[in-house]
Amino acid sequence: MTEAWRQVLNMVRESFAGNGFLVLWVVSLLYLFFAEKEKRKILVYPAILLGVLIFNPILYRYVWDKLFGYAYWRAFWMVPVLPVIAAAVVSLVGKMRGRIPKAAVIAAVLVISALTGTFIYKDRFVRAQNRYKLPQASVDVADALLALDKEPRATVDGSLFCYIRQYSPDIHLMYGRDAWGYIDIIGQGTYSVYQQMILPQPDLDYVRSCMLEWNYDYLVMLPSQAPGYRQEDAEGYDSSFYSAALKGAGFEYLETVDGYLLCKVIPEQTKA
């Protein structure tokens, strides 16, 4: 049970990023309980019940971990943290007289929220590059694949698959977020390909054999993963280098799209 407690506390700490909203939530619940009796049944009791159920190490061990797995933190969304805080602030301000005290309470809550909260736009969001709000490279790579095949089957770099799956359902990817343990359980064979594709120098012979076995035609990877690539010589490489290097590994170099190599697997009987 100690381990379950540790897991719950770690997830709470990571999810709330050290901010003070849980403290404000508890204070707000206490205030509403004593100051707003009519709100006990419709807000206070349900919030306490959800909090006890969600932040419960026993239930985490036997229910939440099995039900949510990695995404246990998503269960926190069911706890009405912000609605309770908002209700308490509105109630308190409504009971006060004078604009200055009311403004002081609102300002205090805003300052506490700002100082103890997390600035979510820092290092997490970037300016949209297109109307899809996806990295332009992922859009261009997806369009290049769709220009080659109506429903291409592809193995792509780890920096692309989350975005490509959002852009087009017509591109069948060997792996997606399941490689990170999300939603579905990935097969060991598929996971081994993903493990190769995140290496600086993947075993392209192994990747190719898996692609042939599972009928995947296209490979998208970084130039630095091409056989024979050396960082100190990178600026001197051109399409002829990649064409020769990839052909030896069983792939036909097609083009470079926004810094990614687009290749097609060479069937076994025609491999050089």
Side-chain angles (χ1 to χ4, degrees):
M1 194 55 62
T2 301
E3 176 63 20
W5 263 114
R6 187 182 66 81
Q7 292 287 348
V8 171
L9 290 176
N10 285 342
M11 197 69 72
V12 169
R13 189 179 298 111
E14 292 177 4
S15 298
F16 289 90
N19 62 49
F21 289 118
L22 277 184
V23 176
L24 283 175
W25 178 65
V26 173
V27 173
S28 297
L29 283 174
L30 291 173
Y31 168 81
L32 291 173
F33 181 84
F34 291 106
E36 298 284 354
K37 293 183 179 181
E38 70 278 6
K39 288 186 171 60
R40 290 180 181 179
K41 291 184 179 181
I42 62 173
L43 184 60
V44 177
Y45 293 151
I48 293 175
L49 177 62
L50 285 170
V52 170
L53 292 176
I54 300 300
F55 303 122
N56 189 313
I58 298 176
L59 289 178
Y60 169 78
R61 181 177 180 181
Y62 296 105
V63 179
W64 304 132
D65 187 37
K66 295 178 174 58
L67 184 63
F68 291 102
Y70 79 95
Y72 164 61
W73 53 271
R74 290 183 175 177
F76 299 168
W77 298 346
M78 293 188 288
V79 182
V81 175
L82 296 183
V84 168
I85 295 173
V89 172
V90 170
S91 171
L92 179 59
V93 170
K95 293 179 182 298
M96 302 182 72
R97 295 182 178 180
R99 293 182 178 181
I100 294 179
K102 291 182 178 183
V105 171
I106 295 174
V109 173
L110 291 176
V111 170
I112 293 173
S113 300
L115 294 179
T116 65
T118 302
F119 185 50
I120 63 173
Y121 297 102
K122 182 180 180 181
D123 302 326
R124 297 192 183 189
F125 292 85
V126 296
R127 185 178 296 277
Q129 299 175 347
N130 48 59
R131 63 179 179 176
Y132 306 105
K133 298 184 179 180
L134 299 172
Q136 189 59 43
S138 63
V139 174
D140 293 339
V141 167
D143 285 339
L145 287 169
L146 291 170
L148 295 168
D149 197 319
K150 290 184 178 180
E151 295 186 1
R153 295 175 60 82
T155 302
V156 304
D157 181 79
S159 62
L160 293 174
F161 57 69
C162 277
Y163 303 115
I164 288 179
R165 75 182 184 89
Q166 296 177 64
Y167 180 71
S168 174
D170 294 326
I171 300 175
H172 302 274
L173 302 176
M174 180 181 290
Y175 47 76
R177 295 198 304 166
D178 51 356
W180 297 340
Y182 284 69
I183 310 301
D184 296 324
I185 299 176
I186 192 172
Q188 186 57 45
T190 306
Y191 184 70
S192 65
V193 175
Y194 167 75
Q195 287 289 89
Q196 286 295 324
M197 290 302 298
I198 61 178
L199 294 175
Q201 289 292 307
D203 184 348
L204 292 181
D205 285 332
Y206 176 74
V207 173
R208 177 177 175 275
S209 66
C210 292
M211 291 180 64
L212 285 171
E213 181 179 354
W214 303 326
N215 298 317
Y216 285 89
D217 301 311
Y218 301 99
L219 176 70
V220 181
M221 64 181 188
L222 296 170
S224 59
Q225 294 177 306
Y229 179 92
R230 296 196 312 170
Q231 181 63 41
E232 57 269 28
D233 300 327
E235 294 183 1
Y237 293 154
D238 56 19
S239 59
S240 61
F241 166 81
Y242 294 116
S243 181
L246 291 167
K247 188 173 183 180
F251 292 92
E252 177 188 356
Y253 167 77
L254 300 177
E255 60 179 313
T256 299
V257 181
D258 289 4
Y260 290 92
L261 303 182
L262 177 55
C263 323
K264 185 174 183 179
V265 66
I266 300 175
E268 193 66 41
Q269 62 271 22
T270 60
K271 179 184 176 182

